[in-house]
Coordinates of all heavy atoms in Angstrom, one line a residue:
S450 N 85.2 116.3 99.5 CA 84.7 117.5 98.9 C 83.5 117.2 98.0 O 83.6 116.3 97.1 CB 85.8 118.1 98.1 OG 85.3 119.2 97.3
P451 N 82.4 117.9 98.1 CA 81.3 117.7 97.2 C 81.7 118.0 95.7 O 81.0 117.6 94.8 CB 80.3 118.8 97.7 CG 80.6 119.0 99.1 CD 82.1 118.9 99.1
S452 N 82.8 118.6 95.5 CA 83.2 118.9 94.1 C 83.5 117.6 93.4 O 83.6 117.6 92.1 CB 84.5 119.8 94.1 OG 84.2 121.0 94.7
V453 N 83.7 116.5 94.1 CA 84.0 115.2 93.5 C 82.8 114.9 92.6 O 83.0 114.3 91.5 CB 84.2 114.1 94.5 CG1 84.2 112.7 93.9 CG2 85.5 114.3 95.3
V454 N 81.6 115.2 93.0 CA 80.4 114.9 92.2 C 80.4 115.7 90.9 O 79.9 115.2 89.9 CB 79.1 115.3 93.0 CG1 77.9 115.2 92.1 CG2 79.0 114.3 94.2
Q455 N 81.0 116.9 90.9 CA 81.1 117.6 89.6 C 82.0 116.9 88.6 O 81.8 116.9 87.4 CB 81.7 119.0 89.9 CG 80.8 119.9 90.7 CD 81.4 121.2 91.0 OE1 82.5 121.6 90.6 NE2 80.6 122.1 91.7
I456 N 83.0 116.1 89.1 CA 83.8 115.3 88.3 C 82.9 114.2 87.7 O 83.0 113.9 86.5 CB 85.0 114.7 89.1 CG1 85.9 115.8 89.5 CG2 85.8 113.7 88.2 CD1 87.0 115.3 90.4
T457 N 82.1 113.6 88.5 CA 81.2 112.6 88.0 C 80.3 113.1 86.9 O 80.2 112.5 85.8 CB 80.3 112.1 89.1 OG1 81.1 111.6 90.2 CG2 79.4 110.9 88.6
Q458 N 79.7 114.3 87.1 CA 78.9 114.9 86.1 C 79.7 115.2 84.8 O 79.2 114.9 83.7 CB 78.2 116.2 86.6 CG 77.3 115.9 87.8 CD 76.7 117.2 88.4 OE1 77.3 118.2 88.2 NE2 75.6 117.1 89.1
G459 N 80.9 115.7 84.9 CA 81.7 116.0 83.8 C 82.1 114.8 83.0 O 82.0 114.7 81.8
V460 N 82.4 113.7 83.7 CA 82.8 112.4 83.1 C 81.6 111.8 82.4 O 81.7 111.3 81.3 CB 83.4 111.5 84.1 CG1 83.7 110.1 83.5 CG2 84.7 112.0 84.7
V461 N 80.4 111.9 83.0 CA 79.2 111.4 82.4 C 79.0 112.1 81.0 O 78.7 111.4 80.0 CB 78.0 111.7 83.2 CG1 76.7 111.5 82.4 CG2 78.0 110.8 84.5
V462 N 79.2 113.4 80.9 CA 79.0 114.1 79.7 C 80.0 113.6 78.6 O 79.7 113.3 77.5 CB 79.1 115.6 79.9 CG1 79.0 116.3 78.5 CG2 78.0 116.1 80.8
L463 N 81.3 113.6 79.1 CA 82.3 113.2 78.1 C 82.1 111.8 77.6 O 82.2 111.5 76.4 CB 83.7 113.3 78.8 CG 84.9 112.9 78.0 CD1 85.1 113.9 76.8 CD2 86.2 113.0 78.9
V464 N 81.9 110.9 78.6 CA 81.7 109.4 78.2 C 80.5 109.2 77.3 O 80.5 108.4 76.4 CB 81.7 108.6 79.4 CG1 81.4 107.1 79.0 CG2 83.0 108.7 80.2
V465 N 79.4 109.9 77.7 CA 78.1 109.6 77.0 C 78.3 110.1 75.5 O 77.7 109.4 74.6 CB 77.0 110.4 77.6 CG1 76.9 111.9 77.2 CG2 75.7 109.7 77.3
V466 N 79.0 111.1 75.2 CA 79.2 111.5 73.8 C 80.0 110.5 73.1 O 79.7 110.1 71.9 CB 80.0 112.9 73.8 CG1 80.4 113.2 72.4 CG2 79.1 114.0 74.4
V467 N 81.1 110.0 73.7 CA 81.9 108.9 73.1 C 81.1 107.6 72.9 O 81.1 107.1 71.8 CB 83.1 108.6 73.9 CG1 83.9 107.5 73.3 CG2 84.0 109.9 74.0
V468 N 80.4 107.2 73.9 CA 79.6 106.0 73.8 C 78.5 106.1 72.8 O 78.3 105.1 72.0 CB 79.0 105.6 75.2 CG1 78.1 104.4 75.1 CG2 80.1 105.3 76.2
Y469 N 77.8 107.2 72.7 CA 76.7 107.4 71.7 C 77.3 107.3 70.3 O 76.7 106.7 69.4 CB 76.0 108.7 71.9 CG 75.0 108.7 73.0 CD1 74.7 109.8 73.7 CD2 74.3 107.5 73.4 CE1 73.7 109.8 74.7 CE2 73.4 107.5 74.4 CZ 73.1 108.6 75.1 OH 72.2 108.6 76.1

Side-chain angles (χ1 to χ4, degrees):
S450 172
S452 299
V453 169
V454 171
Q455 295 177 0
I456 296 175
T457 305
Q458 294 174 339
V460 173
V461 166
V462 176
L463 180 63
V464 174
V465 81
V466 172
V467 175
V468 171
Y469 280 153

